[in-house]
Amino acid sequence: MNWFLERLEPNSIIGMTAGVDFFDGLGVLLLRKGQLITKGIKDLLQKREVYVWRKQENISRPSEMTKAFPKDVYIELVGSLWGIYHEAKLIRPEQIEKTVVLVETILKELKPINVYLGLDVLQLDLENFKQHDYGTFVHSLNVALLATITGMRLGYKEKRLKYLTLGALLHDLGKLRVPKEILNKQGSLTEEEFVIMKQHPLLGVEMLKNTHLLPSVLATVKNHHERWNGKGYPYGLMENNIHFDAQILAVTDVYEALTADRPYRKGLPPYHALEMILSWSGKDFNPIVVQAFRESLVLYPENAIVTLNTREVGVIAAVPLQLPTRPLIRLLFDSNGRFLNKETYIDLMHDLTRFIGHVEFKEVG
Ligand SMILES: [Fe+2]
């Protein structure tokens, strides 16, 4: 079972009371089922896009087709990436060849089915790599995984996908030339420090000058901090003047940064980070990319066991395609750990006081 938002024709809003719940395009409730539709409300609803939730059988993401990204492969990838670029001043063509091998491993793991990239994978505690620039490698790999699934959702094939993943793995190389005190500073940067930090996309391109990489890969590195509304850096490019791969990187880079734990702060839960990304769609990010990202990210695989902030434990019963941050949960245990015999569902679309704190998902099939 899956859920999707269907747009209503303005003139189909009839009757004295709402027959179903009405939502806006982001899934925010506009009018609750049973509420009176006065003339004023009707006029307002007819002036905006109104959606209702519909149930859909044959979901595009059946649970048996979702698997967790293998942790051993992830650990290996971080290690290899760190080994290739550690303390690199200038990247040699052989290093790119080694990186392409990593790209192929990533594509092989992500290709056949939907992959659950949960925080338990993206934030494995990799003690061996806890060095000054460790964050850059883990971050680059995470962004590469997220960018690849988004590219796949957008219909990227073979070479294009390869270049996207390669660009993502390389995108923050320039940070290796940013002084550690600035890179790892706790708290906000001063104006001068931020000027230095903002050089890292161009420093990255400079480090790659001997590698004969395709211009599209270099553009990904160079443009990944540009923003759809022109408020990014280094050039303040707008909309499609930004290389499309870099537009994907922009979204996945920010999502990763929001969810990542740092030594001085805890990352945001995925649903919160995704909702922030959605709110920036059309401002900082290309809405087409945000939509593909939202649809490709399996936040809560069906049948995953989740623990709520209330300490209740349940299983994911259905995930709305339009708003995957608010699934339907079948409760198994109450907040005191008592098993619930009666079938009880919690719809996070409506219950805004509850949220998912922890997800447990084992590889299926
Ligand atoms: Fe960056």
Side-chain angles (χ1 to χ4, degrees), residues 171-172 175 200 224-225 253:
H171 79 279
D172 263 348
K175 278 193 181 163
H200 80 267
H224 77 271
H225 281 287
D253 184 17

mmCIF file of all heavy atoms in Angstrom, residues 171-172 175 200 224-225 253, ligand 1:
data_model
loop_
_atom_site.group_PDB
_atom_site.id
_atom_site.type_symbol
_atom_site.label_atom_id
_atom_site.label_comp_id
_atom_site.label_asym_id
_atom_site.label_seq_id
_atom_site.Cartn_x
_atom_site.Cartn_y
_atom_site.Cartn_z
ATOM 1 N N HIS A 171 33.969 16.435 -4.756
ATOM 2 C CA HIS A 171 33.482 17.811 -4.688
ATOM 3 C C HIS A 171 34.146 18.675 -3.616
ATOM 4 O O HIS A 171 34.338 19.866 -3.809
ATOM 5 C CB HIS A 171 31.951 17.852 -4.545
ATOM 6 C CG HIS A 171 31.440 17.586 -3.175
ATOM 7 N ND1 HIS A 171 31.302 16.328 -2.660
ATOM 8 C CD2 HIS A 171 31.022 18.443 -2.187
ATOM 9 C CE1 HIS A 171 30.826 16.413 -1.430
ATOM 10 N NE2 HIS A 171 30.649 17.671 -1.119
ATOM 11 N N ASP A 172 34.521 18.080 -2.497
ATOM 12 C CA ASP A 172 35.083 18.891 -1.406
ATOM 13 C C ASP A 172 36.602 18.763 -1.267
ATOM 14 O O ASP A 172 37.156 19.137 -0.229
ATOM 15 C CB ASP A 172 34.413 18.521 -0.072
ATOM 16 C CG ASP A 172 33.287 19.490 0.278
ATOM 17 O OD1 ASP A 172 33.181 20.543 -0.375
ATOM 18 O OD2 ASP A 172 32.511 19.178 1.207
ATOM 19 N N LYS A 175 38.749 21.396 0.277
ATOM 20 C CA LYS A 175 38.766 21.617 1.737
ATOM 21 C C LYS A 175 40.084 21.147 2.355
ATOM 22 O O LYS A 175 40.451 21.577 3.434
ATOM 23 C CB LYS A 175 37.601 20.883 2.393
ATOM 24 C CG LYS A 175 36.306 21.650 2.299
ATOM 25 C CD LYS A 175 35.280 21.057 3.221
ATOM 26 C CE LYS A 175 33.969 21.803 3.112
ATOM 27 N NZ LYS A 175 32.869 21.020 3.665
ATOM 28 N N HIS A 200 37.062 26.960 -1.414
ATOM 29 C CA HIS A 200 37.344 25.534 -1.592
ATOM 30 C C HIS A 200 36.836 24.928 -2.902
ATOM 31 O O HIS A 200 37.496 24.039 -3.435
ATOM 32 C CB HIS A 200 36.932 24.711 -0.349
ATOM 33 C CG HIS A 200 35.482 24.390 -0.256
ATOM 34 N ND1 HIS A 200 34.589 25.169 0.424
ATOM 35 C CD2 HIS A 200 34.756 23.365 -0.755
ATOM 36 C CE1 HIS A 200 33.387 24.647 0.346
ATOM 37 N NE2 HIS A 200 33.455 23.542 -0.382
ATOM 38 N N HIS A 224 29.277 23.432 -6.806
ATOM 39 C CA HIS A 224 28.412 22.759 -5.836
ATOM 40 C C HIS A 224 27.883 23.664 -4.715
ATOM 41 O O HIS A 224 26.971 23.273 -3.998
ATOM 42 C CB HIS A 224 29.059 21.482 -5.284
ATOM 43 C CG HIS A 224 30.121 21.696 -4.254
ATOM 44 N ND1 HIS A 224 31.449 21.867 -4.568
ATOM 45 C CD2 HIS A 224 30.062 21.751 -2.900
ATOM 46 C CE1 HIS A 224 32.150 22.013 -3.471
ATOM 47 N NE2 HIS A 224 31.331 21.954 -2.427
ATOM 48 N N HIS A 225 28.451 24.863 -4.575
ATOM 49 C CA HIS A 225 27.872 25.797 -3.587
ATOM 50 C C HIS A 225 27.067 26.923 -4.230
ATOM 51 O O HIS A 225 26.683 27.883 -3.542
ATOM 52 C CB HIS A 225 28.958 26.387 -2.691
ATOM 53 C CG HIS A 225 29.390 25.439 -1.609
ATOM 54 N ND1 HIS A 225 28.603 25.161 -0.519
ATOM 55 C CD2 HIS A 225 30.500 24.672 -1.479
ATOM 56 C CE1 HIS A 225 29.220 24.276 0.252
ATOM 57 N NE2 HIS A 225 30.372 23.952 -0.311
ATOM 58 N N ASP A 253 24.400 17.653 -0.574
ATOM 59 C CA ASP A 253 25.452 18.186 0.299
ATOM 60 C C ASP A 253 24.829 18.802 1.557
ATOM 61 O O ASP A 253 25.248 18.531 2.690
ATOM 62 C CB ASP A 253 26.221 19.250 -0.504
ATOM 63 C CG ASP A 253 27.408 19.822 0.234
ATOM 64 O OD1 ASP A 253 27.858 19.207 1.207
ATOM 65 O OD2 ASP A 253 27.902 20.902 -0.174
HETATM 66 FE FE FE B 1 31.687 22.072 -0.256
#
